[in-house]
Amino acid sequence: MIAITHQNITEERISEIVKYIEKSGVQAHVSRGTDRTVIGIIGKAEPTLSEHLRQMKGVENVIKISKSYKLASRDFHPDDTIIDIKGVKIGGDNLVIMGGPCAVESPEQIDEIARLVKAAGGQVLRGGAFKPRTGPYSFQGVGVEGLKMMAEAGKKHGLLTITEVMTPEYVDVCAEYADILQVGTRNMQNFDLLRKLGTIQTPVLLKRGFSATYDEFLNAAEYILAGGNPNVMLCERGIRTFEQYTRNTLDLTAIPVLQDLSHLPVISDPSHGTGRRELVEPMSKASVAAGANGLIVEMHTDPDNSMTGDGVQSLFPDQFAALLKDLEKLAELVGKRFDTEKAPASAFETWKK
Amino acid sequence: MIAITHQNITEERISEIVKYIEKSGVQAHVSRGTDRTVIGIIGKAEPTLSEHLRQMKGVENVIKISKSYKLASRDFHPDDTIIDIKGVKIGGDNLVIMGGPCAVESPEQIDEIARLVKAAGGQVLRGGAFKPRTGPYSFQGVGVEGLKMMAEAGKKHGLLTITEVMTPEYVDVCAEYADILQVGTRNMQNFDLLRKLGTIQTPVLLKRGFSATYDEFLNAAEYILAGGNPNVMLCERGIRTFEQYTRNTLDLTAIPVLQDLSHLPVISDPSHGTGRRELVEPMSKASVAAGANGLIVEMHTDPDNSMTGDGVQSLFPDQFAALLKDLEKLAELVGKRFDTEKAPASAFETWKK
Amino acid sequence: MIAITHQNITEERISEIVKYIEKSGVQAHVSRGTDRTVIGIIGKAEPTLSEHLRQMKGVENVIKISKSYKLASRDFHPDDTIIDIKGVKIGGDNLVIMGGPCAVESPEQIDEIARLVKAAGGQVLRGGAFKPRTGPYSFQGVGVEGLKMMAEAGKKHGLLTITEVMTPEYVDVCAEYADILQVGTRNMQNFDLLRKLGTIQTPVLLKRGFSATYDEFLNAAEYILAGGNPNVMLCERGIRTFEQYTRNTLDLTAIPVLQDLSHLPVISDPSHGTGRRELVEPMSKASVAAGANGLIVEMHTDPDNSMTGDGVQSLFPDQFAALLKDLEKLAELVGKRFDTEKAPASAFETWKK
Amino acid sequence: MIAITHQNITEERISEIVKYIEKSGVQAHVSRGTDRTVIGIIGKAEPTLSEHLRQMKGVENVIKISKSYKLASRDFHPDDTIIDIKGVKIGGDNLVIMGGPCAVESPEQIDEIARLVKAAGGQVLRGGAFKPRTGPYSFQGVGVEGLKMMAEAGKKHGLLTITEVMTPEYVDVCAEYADILQVGTRNMQNFDLLRKLGTIQTPVLLKRGFSATYDEFLNAAEYILAGGNPNVMLCERGIRTFEQYTRNTLDLTAIPVLQDLSHLPVISDPSHGTGRRELVEPMSKASVAAGANGLIVEMHTDPDNSMTGDGVQSLFPDQFAALLKDLEKLAELVGKRFDTEKAPASAFETWKK
């Protein structure tokens, strides 16, 4: 950590700041420049020291050299985290594909989609039972019943399941039915939810807030890790920019950056990241080429009539199957494994758009 | 609502879309342009119709003409909402000033600050008992004890109190001690929290998410209003942009825009909106000149040692008092009333920075 | 300037970097932290040293402590720059109002508008002769003829004139007819244009690029100053954000920040900054309250039929006059002078919207 | 085009607006909704009609249904544009690789780099002779001499050349020496430059402004096309967002979107798009996987000492060669051809980082 002083600070004030720093058990190292004086702080400072320094008279800026997250950082955990869920490995050189509808709608719907996800080679069934919606008058999901329908469909077709949990009090019931819990973009900094997820061992897929920096994203993951749950996946799902043609701007650079800063698996969500069906295929391929550890993709048997209106970004079953076939070769090229069993294209004939 | 079709849509497909629209009880009005056909939807459509239309084959875009929020809209509530809390009026042509520390630290701290807020002419005491923090290792607030300290200080000095509530389960205890509940920027779309706040009558100050559009902001307010709580204030507190010199970019245009779109009071937060003490005074004045119904300003007796590190954006007591004096004349000029009793400048002598 | 090294840099590599730094005539000051080593660079380094250091192996980041602009910085020019143009003072505690149409359309149009600007109390007539347009098929301005019409109207009514110059080759002819040359937002980093403007003495109003940081903005001003032209005004005109309701997001915080970092006058443009007529009045007042040294405001006698389509953000003459009347009192309150002669409201009766 | 009226517009005003529309030779189609009335404009309207309508009293919003660019649009040019330069084809299913230093520094430097670009399989040599720099004190390029050095190196090693042109007056001399002219991100809306480039036939690589929307980008291309030069390539080079870890945020979604909206080739620039050498490889692969028609990549034999300081984002020659080898297989997988001759890895041994 470095404190940069104002241009015309007095020697006396510098001494006071140095004393203040040393009082907290770390060393101060003064370095006088032409314009400004820089004070280096050496040793393991309290997390609040930087905040206090920043507000002291005579201090113009405080720059952290070390990162504020530790458990999420690759500095202290050089090897990739690999999360093993019932034999499905997520992280390292494994490629995992999660597919399914935006929302669970009925037992028949989720069963049929599960069958198709499995046939296409996917390993995880996605589906929302509780839906976060911008306005209070939109469809809000079918609730706990949806969790049960999805659990059954997953079990029947040999798929893991993932579902979104929106509030601390629903963590336990969601964890009872689903293999992976998803934290949505609007909840990335719902700190009570993160803390609650730290108290269990169920793997968590944490979506990046649509305006979160990499640093904030990793600090959010740190909340879960610090609570005692090491099973965290990071998910890039698009950020908000000035561009309105796409729903969000998928930030694929996040993939290699997060993998460099952290040991956690990084999953890409090209469906929410673009909001347009025709962009899901190229951005899925680009994600894998950029090194993603997996994808979470929306697929629906009847996108025109999906209950959430997210059908516009859902693939048809035959598109999903064709994509996964292409991804197998692509994965190999970038050193990833995706050797799931896949049904022939003919199996998806009836589901052609 | 308007649906715009793809350039080369067939007449047959247009008929199907029209039938689909009419099936839901509203009228469709087809208008053929040179390149594209536009289908107007006339009547009160289900909120999900736009979502379904958007995902239909042949539909390129759906544009809403009416707003998705109703209760928050001035269209259906032309008069300003004025919230009366124990005789303090918020909204309309009243100017309300909320002042206090980022976090409640001790009974003495909050009592002394309350005395100074009152002496300066403020009407509401702000202070956090539960603090949302980016990283898990930062100071997280003193909890329910802080609520009690603040309630006592407010009562003693004749001030209303406002505090942040972060999770649905804490709404009741916060409402027991505070006069106004604040929803923080990271929780603007914590829909469970919003729904819970809709079930009580305690006034709510809803902060704009740091990347929320005006439309999303008003839809978040709609959640509270739709639940049955009409006492909502909107708070602009800065948005995230590419500029890093300030903590956020205070969007003062939000003030007249929100007042035009909605009847709810609009409060400005120049402390979080800038993150720098020296900018609080000019941006407070600019907020009032732009028509704000009030300000929420951080003030601390010992900013160098505030526990959250937000001291860097807190005014010293004498600065706070001088600002409120200036605001009185400015308010008059823009047709607002701020005729509180104010102690002479000499009362703040000992608190000079 | 500070160079931060990678975590596991060798002592040998540190020595090499230090040697490299000292070779360029400045001192290196090594400070070893727990995780990383920091190298302070002391003395007046070549501007390219930071760039070279940044790309050296072992260096993780380079942080500049001093600013890259000098002539624009208040550090080396503590007093406000006041530009005196034919007796009209811009900067310091003077408030200047520039008003007029987006584009000069005809001699009659600009003459009548000039008369109204003067009657309302404005000091400068704005008007575009060359228009930068996003698409090649839009109205591109009337050219040199427009310069002449505006010069004549300004002279007749006792107003200074300001017009936009888009390319180096037009600088001379624009300077022949106008008192102030404006650089548009899209040209803020048109470095050849900036260099050309540095070779003359005509005052320049430099508009901030719609995605430029404060630092880039001041560096652009530095180009003109470094060329030898000290008469530069900075103009905040709105930045691009995710919000689409307004054309841009007017960043009023830029006003006190730029005035703190620099000695140059800061002008606000609430017309382009909002793109909506009804927001011009509140944002003009907010700009003055925030400390702006002036405003540039669009006004048109027939906004419905303006040739550029920017009428939607133009005030009607009576609105313009009423605004300037209000600004006089507001200016006084924030320590600015705006004591121009103003015609009574009745003079604008015929121009009521 | 659609005009949406205010909620309480009178029938009389609607008639006036309709008359206004019909006066300009197109049809108006009125459609009355519950809240608002919508007026559809049918026929080929003047480009300025939308601007005029937008500013009329009673009109709340105008939405364009057709695009404002025509020549750049795929609507009117369904086949891919393929630009053939001395036998090198750019566009369609060809993959083109442009490589070289940020700036030409000396004949020896550019000759050696040209040799390495060719050996690695690249087809185009990039290099800047005129450099746009944020501050006036940075290295500004070697000028016309650099153009000559590059032309010679290109000729000797059988490479096309590309260089940036910054101002209309330098277009001719740049076109004399280089095969492709590049317009930098800061000049995307330097309309005089675009117009000048429309008067020649030399192919142009137009870089997206770092805050330009897709629509503005295509309108900028339209300027060149409308002037008569059909040889335009679009280049995505990263946009400005709130994220500061990378220099820009490379928007790979732009690739399939621009290819869908337009027939022009789309090139990706992962060097400027990320600003960090270690991200160039994954983002190059992701670009090709997303369907890019080519890449422009910085490569330098001595990145630590590049004169512009952009060495930090330049690949070492052996990294460049390894990347191109990988891209060959990847290109095949996504249906692109990149069958250039490549020297064995051993040829780059001496250039290992």
Side-chain angles (χ1 to χ4, degrees):
Chain A
M1 189 159 52
I2 285 169
I4 299 167
T5 65
H6 280 122
Q7 199 173 6
N8 33 31
I9 190 170
T10 61
E11 281 301 316
E12 200 193 327
R13 184 62 188 158
I14 293 178
S15 301
E16 286 168 22
I17 296 172
V18 166
K19 255 182 228 150
Y20 183 91
I21 292 167
E22 294 180 341
K23 210 178 57 186
S24 51
V26 287
Q27 281 180 276
H29 189 159
V30 178
S31 171
R32 285 174 180 76
T34 327
D35 289 359
R36 280 164 175 78
T37 293
V38 169
I39 307 174
I41 288 89
I42 297 159
K44 213 181 138 33
E46 289 294 303
T48 49
L49 180 60
S50 72
E51 299 165 347
H52 286 162
L53 271 180
R54 195 183 298 272
Q55 63 197 356
M56 291 183 81
K57 263 180 291 182
V59 174
E60 188 172 284
N61 203 358
V62 173
I63 296 160
K64 289 190 202 172
I65 308 297
S66 302
K67 290 155 193 151
S68 51
Y69 50 89
K70 298 285 172 195
L71 301 173
S73 167
R74 199 177 274 279
D75 285 357
F76 305 99
H77 188 310
D79 293 331
D80 286 348
T81 280
I82 296 176
I83 305 174
D84 186 325
I85 318 174
K86 301 179 183 168
V88 175
K89 290 187 176 63
I90 303 178
D93 59 359
N94 306 284
L95 184 73
V96 67
I97 305 292
M98 314 182 179
C102 184
V104 178
E105 298 173 10
S106 71
E108 296 72 29
Q109 176 237 26
I110 195 69
D111 178 74
E112 180 60 2
I113 292 179
R115 191 181 68 76
L116 290 159
V117 168
K118 184 65 182 185
Q123 303 109 319
V124 184
L125 177 66
R126 62 150 290 155
F130 305 95
K131 301 300 306 172
R133 305 309 298 273
T134 304
Y137 309 122
S138 297
F139 171 65
Q140 310 266 342
V142 296
V144 176
E145 280 314 299
L147 294 177
K148 292 182 187 168
M149 296 174 203
M150 194 164 61
E152 198 153 320
K155 206 169 156 189
K156 177 167 159 198
H157 296 287
L159 292 169
L160 299 179
T161 57
I162 177 169
T163 202
E164 177 164 352
V165 58
M166 288 170 60
T167 191
E169 64 206 272
Y170 277 94
V171 165
D172 290 331
V173 68
C174 287
E176 191 185 331
Y177 290 105
D179 297 302
I180 308 173
L181 300 184
Q182 174 183 317
V183 176
T185 187
R186 289 170 187 76
N187 276 323
M188 191 202 84
Q189 293 191 320
N190 183 333
F191 302 119
D192 279 298
L193 178 59
L194 301 180
R195 262 189 291 263
K196 172 72 185 174
L197 290 166
T199 66
I200 60 171
Q201 294 295 305
T202 308
V204 175
L205 180 135
L206 178 65
K207 287 201 160 184
R208 181 181 179 188
F210 61 68
S211 280
T213 61
Y214 302 147
D215 192 75
E216 289 170 338
F217 191 14
L218 290 166
N219 266 294
E222 188 83 1
Y223 263 92
I224 306 175
L225 298 169
N229 184 349
N231 302 311
V232 177
M233 305 162 222
L234 304 169
C235 179
E236 162 61 31
R237 50 76 68 205
I239 57 173
R240 179 161 282 180
T241 68
F242 55 83
E243 181 58 64
Q244 304 291 307
Y245 183 89
T246 47
R247 191 164 161 177
N248 297 284
T249 297
L250 192 65
D251 174 16
L252 291 190
T253 312
I255 297 170
V257 169
L258 292 171
Q259 287 172 337
D260 183 49
L261 296 174
S262 176
H263 49 87
L264 299 172
V266 181
I267 308 296
S268 174
D269 177 350
S271 305
H272 289 86
T274 65
R276 289 172 167 256
R277 181 184 301 137
E278 73 272 17
L279 298 173
V280 172
E281 186 226 311
M283 300 318 285
S284 292
K285 290 181 177 173
S287 298
V288 171
N293 299 104
L295 299 176
I296 181 161
V297 176
E298 291 198 6
M299 185 262 267
H300 201 288
T301 45
D302 185 10
D304 276 16
N305 292 297
S306 93
M307 291 178 73
T308 56
D310 269 357
V312 70
Q313 67 192 30
S314 296
L315 294 183
F316 284 83
D318 62 319
Q319 293 176 314
F320 182 77
L323 172 63
L324 267 59
K325 206 152 254 176
D326 284 355
L327 290 181
E328 183 165 2
K329 292 171 228 150
L330 185 54
E332 207 191 312
L333 224 64
V334 294
K336 289 275 190 306
R337 238 176 313 166
F338 180 53
D339 47 5
T340 61
E341 208 173 320
K342 296 177 191 72
S346 59
F348 301 90
E349 281 279 297
T350 53
W351 289 111
K352 262 203 175 124
K353 59 174 165 151
Chain B
M1 187 159 53
I2 285 169
I4 300 166
T5 65
H6 279 121
Q7 200 173 5
N8 32 31
I9 189 169
T10 61
E11 282 300 315
E12 201 194 325
R13 185 61 188 159
I14 293 178
S15 301
E16 286 170 20
I17 296 173
V18 166
K19 257 184 228 150
Y20 183 91
I21 291 168
E22 294 181 341
K23 212 179 56 188
S24 51
V26 287
Q27 281 179 276
H29 188 158
V30 177
S31 171
R32 283 173 180 78
T34 327
D35 289 1
R36 279 164 177 79
T37 292
V38 169
I39 306 174
I41 288 88
I42 298 159
K44 214 183 139 33
E46 288 295 302
T48 48
L49 179 61
S50 74
E51 299 164 348
H52 286 161
L53 272 179
R54 196 184 298 272
Q55 63 198 355
M56 290 182 80
K57 263 180 289 178
V59 175
E60 189 172 283
N61 203 358
V62 173
I63 296 160
K64 290 190 202 172
I65 308 297
S66 303
K67 291 155 191 151
S68 51
Y69 49 89
K70 298 284 173 195
L71 301 172
S73 168
R74 200 178 273 279
D75 285 356
F76 304 98
H77 188 311
D79 294 331
D80 286 349
T81 280
I82 297 176
I83 305 174
D84 186 325
I85 317 176
K86 301 179 182 169
V88 175
K89 288 185 178 61
I90 304 178
D93 59 359
N94 306 284
L95 185 72
V96 66
I97 305 292
M98 314 182 180
C102 184
V104 179
E105 297 174 10
S106 70
E108 295 73 27
Q109 175 237 26
I110 195 69
D111 177 75
E112 180 60 2
I113 292 178
R115 191 181 68 74
L116 291 160
V117 168
K118 182 69 181 181
Q123 303 110 317
V124 185
L125 177 66
R126 60 150 291 154
F130 304 94
K131 301 301 304 170
R133 306 310 299 272
T134 303
Y137 309 122
S138 296
F139 171 65
Q140 311 267 340
V142 296
V144 176
E145 280 314 301
L147 294 177
K148 293 182 187 168
M149 297 173 199
M150 194 164 61
E152 198 153 322
K155 208 171 154 187
K156 178 167 160 198
H157 298 286
L159 292 169
L160 300 180
T161 57
I162 176 170
T163 202
E164 178 166 351
V165 57
M166 287 170 60
T167 192
E169 64 204 272
Y170 277 94
V171 165
D172 291 332
V173 68
C174 287
E176 190 184 332
Y177 290 106
D179 296 303
I180 309 173
L181 300 184
Q182 173 183 316
V183 176
T185 188
R186 287 171 188 76
N187 275 324
M188 191 201 82
Q189 293 192 320
N190 183 333
F191 301 118
D192 280 298
L193 178 58
L194 300 180
R195 261 189 293 264
K196 172 72 184 172
L197 289 167
T199 66
I200 60 173
Q201 292 295 307
T202 308
V204 175
L205 181 134
L206 177 66
K207 289 201 159 184
R208 179 181 181 190
F210 59 68
S211 280
T213 61
Y214 302 148
D215 192 74
E216 288 170 340
F217 191 13
L218 290 167
N219 266 295
E222 188 83 1
Y223 262 93
I224 305 175
L225 298 169
N229 185 349
N231 304 310
V232 176
M233 304 162 222
L234 305 170
C235 179
E236 163 60 33
R237 48 76 69 207
I239 57 172
R240 178 160 284 178
T241 68
F242 56 83
E243 181 59 65
Q244 305 290 307
Y245 183 87
T246 47
R247 191 165 160 178
N248 296 286
T249 297
L250 192 64
D251 174 17
L252 291 190
T253 312
I255 297 170
V257 169
L258 292 171
Q259 287 172 337
D260 183 49
L261 296 175
S262 176
H263 50 87
L264 300 171
V266 180
I267 309 297
S268 174
D269 177 349
S271 305
H272 288 86
T274 64
R276 287 170 167 257
R277 181 183 300 137
E278 73 274 17
L279 298 173
V280 172
E281 186 226 312
M283 297 321 283
S284 291
K285 291 181 176 173
S287 298
V288 171
N293 299 103
L295 299 176
I296 181 162
V297 175
E298 291 198 6
M299 185 261 267
H300 201 287
T301 45
D302 187 9
D304 277 16
N305 291 299
S306 92
M307 289 177 74
T308 58
D310 269 357
V312 71
Q313 67 193 30
S314 296
L315 294 183
F316 284 84
D318 63 318
Q319 294 176 312
F320 183 76
L323 172 63
L324 268 58
K325 205 153 256 176
D326 285 354
L327 290 182
E328 184 165 1
K329 293 171 228 151
L330 184 55
E332 208 191 311
L333 224 65
V334 294
K336 290 272 190 308
R337 239 176 314 166
F338 180 52
D339 47 5
T340 61
E341 210 173 321
K342 298 177 189 71
S346 59
F348 301 91
E349 281 280 298
T350 53
W351 289 110
K352 264 206 174 121
K353 61 178 163 150
Chain C
M1 188 161 51
I2 286 168
I4 300 166
T5 66
H6 280 121
Q7 198 172 6
N8 32 31
I9 190 171
T10 61
E11 281 301 316
E12 199 194 328
R13 184 64 189 155
I14 293 178
S15 302
E16 287 169 19
I17 296 172
V18 165
K19 255 182 232 153
Y20 183 91
I21 291 168
E22 294 180 341
K23 210 178 56 186
S24 50
V26 288
Q27 280 180 277
H29 188 159
V30 178
S31 171
R32 285 174 179 76
T34 326
D35 289 0
R36 278 162 178 79
T37 293
V38 168
I39 307 174
I41 287 87
I42 298 159
K44 212 180 139 36
E46 287 295 302
T48 47
L49 179 61
S50 73
E51 299 165 347
H52 287 162
L53 271 179
R54 195 183 298 272
Q55 62 197 358
M56 291 183 81
K57 263 180 291 181
V59 174
E60 188 171 284
N61 203 357
V62 172
I63 296 161
K64 291 190 202 171
I65 308 297
S66 302
K67 291 154 193 153
S68 50
Y69 50 90
K70 297 285 172 195
L71 301 172
S73 167
R74 200 177 272 281
D75 286 357
F76 304 99
H77 188 309
D79 293 332
D80 285 349
T81 279
I82 296 176
I83 304 174
D84 186 325
I85 317 177
K86 303 177 183 170
V88 175
K89 290 187 177 63
I90 304 178
D93 59 0
N94 306 284
L95 185 72
V96 67
I97 304 293
M98 313 183 182
C102 184
V104 179
E105 298 173 11
S106 71
E108 296 73 29
Q109 177 236 27
I110 195 70
D111 177 75
E112 179 60 3
I113 292 179
R115 192 181 67 77
L116 291 160
V117 167
K118 182 67 181 183
Q123 303 109 319
V124 185
L125 177 65
R126 60 151 290 155
F130 304 94
K131 303 300 304 172
R133 306 309 299 273
T134 303
Y137 309 122
S138 297
F139 171 65
Q140 311 267 342
V142 294
V144 175
E145 280 314 300
L147 293 176
K148 293 182 188 169
M149 298 174 201
M150 195 164 61
E152 197 154 323
K155 207 171 157 187
K156 176 168 162 197
H157 296 287
L159 292 169
L160 300 179
T161 57
I162 177 170
T163 202
E164 177 165 352
V165 59
M166 287 170 63
T167 192
E169 65 205 271
Y170 277 94
V171 165
D172 291 331
V173 69
C174 288
E176 190 185 330
Y177 290 106
D179 297 303
I180 308 173
L181 300 184
Q182 174 184 317
V183 177
T185 187
R186 287 170 188 77
N187 275 324
M188 191 200 84
Q189 293 191 321
N190 183 332
F191 301 119
D192 280 298
L193 178 58
L194 300 179
R195 260 189 293 261
K196 172 72 185 170
L197 290 165
T199 65
I200 59 172
Q201 293 294 308
T202 308
V204 176
L205 181 134
L206 177 66
K207 289 201 159 184
R208 180 182 181 189
F210 60 68
S211 279
T213 61
Y214 303 147
D215 192 74
E216 287 169 339
F217 192 14
L218 291 166
N219 266 295
E222 188 84 0
Y223 262 92
I224 305 175
L225 298 169
N229 184 349
N231 303 310
V232 178
M233 305 163 221
L234 305 170
C235 178
E236 163 61 31
R237 49 78 65 205
I239 56 172
R240 179 160 281 179
T241 68
F242 55 83
E243 180 60 63
Q244 305 291 306
Y245 182 89
T246 47
R247 190 164 160 178
N248 296 285
T249 297
L250 192 65
D251 174 18
L252 292 189
T253 312
I255 297 170
V257 169
L258 292 171
Q259 287 172 337
D260 183 49
L261 296 175
S262 177
H263 49 88
L264 300 171
V266 181
I267 308 297
S268 174
D269 177 350
S271 305
H272 288 88
T274 64
R276 288 170 167 256
R277 181 183 302 136
E278 73 273 18
L279 297 173
V280 172
E281 186 226 311
M283 299 321 284
S284 291
K285 292 182 176 172
S287 298
V288 172
N293 298 102
L295 299 177
I296 180 161
V297 176
E298 292 197 5
M299 185 259 267
H300 202 288
T301 45
D302 186 10
D304 276 17
N305 292 299
S306 93
M307 290 179 74
T308 57
D310 268 357
V312 70
Q313 68 193 27
S314 295
L315 293 184
F316 284 84
D318 64 318
Q319 293 177 314
F320 181 77
L323 172 64
L324 267 58
K325 205 152 255 176
D326 285 355
L327 289 181
E328 184 165 1
K329 294 172 226 149
L330 185 55
E332 206 192 312
L333 223 67
V334 294
K336 289 275 190 305
R337 241 176 311 167
F338 179 53
D339 45 6
T340 60
E341 209 172 319
K342 296 177 191 70
S346 58
F348 301 91
E349 281 281 297
T350 53
W351 290 110
K352 260 204 174 126
K353 58 175 167 155
Chain D
M1 187 160 54
I2 285 169
I4 300 167
T5 66
H6 280 121
Q7 200 172 5
N8 31 31
I9 189 169
T10 61
E11 281 300 317
E12 200 194 327
R13 185 64 187 155
I14 292 179
S15 300
E16 287 168 21
I17 296 173
V18 166
K19 256 181 232 152
Y20 184 90
I21 291 168
E22 292 179 342
K23 211 178 57 189
S24 51
V26 288
Q27 281 180 274
H29 189 159
V30 178
S31 171
R32 286 174 179 77
T34 327
D35 289 1
R36 278 165 178 78
T37 292
V38 169
I39 306 175
I41 287 86
I42 298 159
K44 214 182 137 36
E46 288 294 302
T48 48
L49 179 62
S50 73
E51 298 164 348
H52 287 160
L53 271 179
R54 196 183 298 273
Q55 62 198 355
M56 291 183 80
K57 262 181 288 179
V59 174
E60 189 173 283
N61 203 357
V62 172
I63 296 160
K64 290 190 202 169
I65 307 298
S66 302
K67 290 154 192 152
S68 51
Y69 50 88
K70 298 285 171 194
L71 302 172
S73 167
R74 200 177 273 278
D75 285 357
F76 304 98
H77 188 311
D79 292 331
D80 286 349
T81 280
I82 296 177
I83 305 174
D84 186 323
I85 317 175
K86 301 179 183 169
V88 175
K89 289 186 177 62
I90 304 179
D93 59 358
N94 305 286
L95 185 72
V96 66
I97 304 292
M98 312 179 181
C102 184
V104 178
E105 298 174 9
S106 71
E108 295 73 28
Q109 176 236 27
I110 195 70
D111 177 75
E112 179 61 2
I113 292 179
R115 192 181 66 76
L116 291 159
V117 168
K118 182 69 180 182
Q123 302 110 317
V124 185
L125 176 66
R126 60 151 291 155
F130 304 95
K131 301 301 304 171
R133 306 308 299 274
T134 303
Y137 309 122
S138 297
F139 170 65
Q140 310 267 342
V142 296
V144 177
E145 280 314 300
L147 294 177
K148 293 182 188 168
M149 296 174 200
M150 196 165 59
E152 197 153 324
K155 206 170 156 188
K156 175 168 162 198
H157 296 288
L159 291 169
L160 300 179
T161 57
I162 176 169
T163 202
E164 177 165 352
V165 57
M166 287 171 63
T167 192
E169 64 204 272
Y170 277 95
V171 165
D172 291 331
V173 68
C174 287
E176 190 185 331
Y177 290 108
D179 298 302
I180 309 173
L181 300 184
Q182 173 183 318
V183 176
T185 187
R186 288 170 187 75
N187 276 324
M188 191 201 81
Q189 293 191 320
N190 184 333
F191 301 119
D192 279 299
L193 179 57
L194 300 180
R195 261 189 292 262
K196 172 73 183 169
L197 290 166
T199 65
I200 58 172
Q201 294 294 307
T202 309
V204 175
L205 181 134
L206 178 66
K207 289 201 159 185
R208 180 181 180 188
F210 59 68
S211 280
T213 60
Y214 301 147
D215 192 73
E216 288 169 338
F217 192 14
L218 290 167
N219 266 295
E222 188 83 1
Y223 262 93
I224 305 174
L225 298 170
N229 184 349
N231 302 311
V232 178
M233 306 162 220
L234 305 169
C235 179
E236 162 62 31
R237 49 75 70 206
I239 57 172
R240 179 160 282 179
T241 68
F242 55 83
E243 181 60 64
Q244 304 291 307
Y245 183 88
T246 47
R247 190 164 161 180
N248 295 285
T249 297
L250 192 64
D251 173 17
L252 291 190
T253 312
I255 297 169
V257 169
L258 292 171
Q259 287 172 337
D260 183 49
L261 296 175
S262 177
H263 50 89
L264 300 171
V266 182
I267 309 296
S268 173
D269 178 350
S271 305
H272 288 88
T274 64
R276 287 169 167 257
R277 181 183 300 137
E278 73 273 18
L279 298 173
V280 172
E281 186 225 314
M283 298 320 284
S284 291
K285 291 181 177 173
S287 298
V288 172
N293 298 102
L295 299 176
I296 181 161
V297 176
E298 291 197 4
M299 184 261 267
H300 202 287
T301 45
D302 186 10
D304 276 18
N305 291 299
S306 92
M307 289 177 74
T308 57
D310 269 357
V312 71
Q313 67 192 29
S314 295
L315 294 184
F316 284 84
D318 63 319
Q319 293 177 313
F320 182 78
L323 171 63
L324 267 58
K325 207 152 253 173
D326 284 356
L327 290 181
E328 183 165 2
K329 293 171 226 151
L330 185 53
E332 207 191 312
L333 225 64
V334 294
K336 289 273 190 306
R337 239 176 312 165
F338 180 53
D339 46 5
T340 61
E341 209 172 320
K342 297 177 189 72
S346 58
F348 301 90
E349 281 281 297
T350 52
W351 289 111
K352 265 208 172 119
K353 61 179 166 149

